Amino acid sequence: SLYFSHFINTYVKLTLLNSMGQEMSKCKTSIRRGQPNPVYKETFVFQVALFQLSDVTLILSVYNKRSMKRKEMIGWISLGLNSSGEEELNHWTEMKESKGQQVCRWHALLES
């Protein structure tokens, strides 16, 4: 696995869904090449009305880009209305109450 991790090229796709599960917006990070534990210091801005914050879901999916055409999902989490767990829901709640301050948390990915 250590040998394999040397050739891993990952990126994160962010998808914002409305309360009906329809895609409102999406974006992705740049690719981190050959980093088994990549850090993405990137900022993405989503236009969401304050009253809508409780009704949206942000899905973060981590992919390994194998080649130009092939990619595989490594794992995912979701925050917001349909949070994938208690930790994710707590993170979203903290962010909503943070008055614009940055809230950083670690999350374990769920397998795809």
Side-chain angles (χ1 to χ4, degrees), residues 37-40 77 79 87-88 91 103-109:
N37 298 301
V39 174
Y40 307 89
I77 63 160
L79 304 169
E87 295 292 320
E88 291 80 2
H91 190 176
V103 180
C104 299
R105 293 282 172 272
W106 287 98
H107 294 284
L109 292 175

Side-chain angles (χ1 to χ4, degrees), residues 32-47:
R32 294 285 179 276
R33 299 189 185 283
Q35 295 179 30
N37 298 301
V39 174
Y40 307 89
K41 289 191 177 175
E42 297 182 44
T43 302
F44 298 95
V45 178
F46 295 96
Q47 298 293 327

Side-chain angles (χ1 to χ4, degrees), residues 13-24:
K13 182 177 159 193
L14 299 92
T15 310
L16 189 69
L17 306 177
N18 66 14
S19 59
M20 308 292 288
Q22 296 161 316
E23 191 178 285
M24 295 167 66

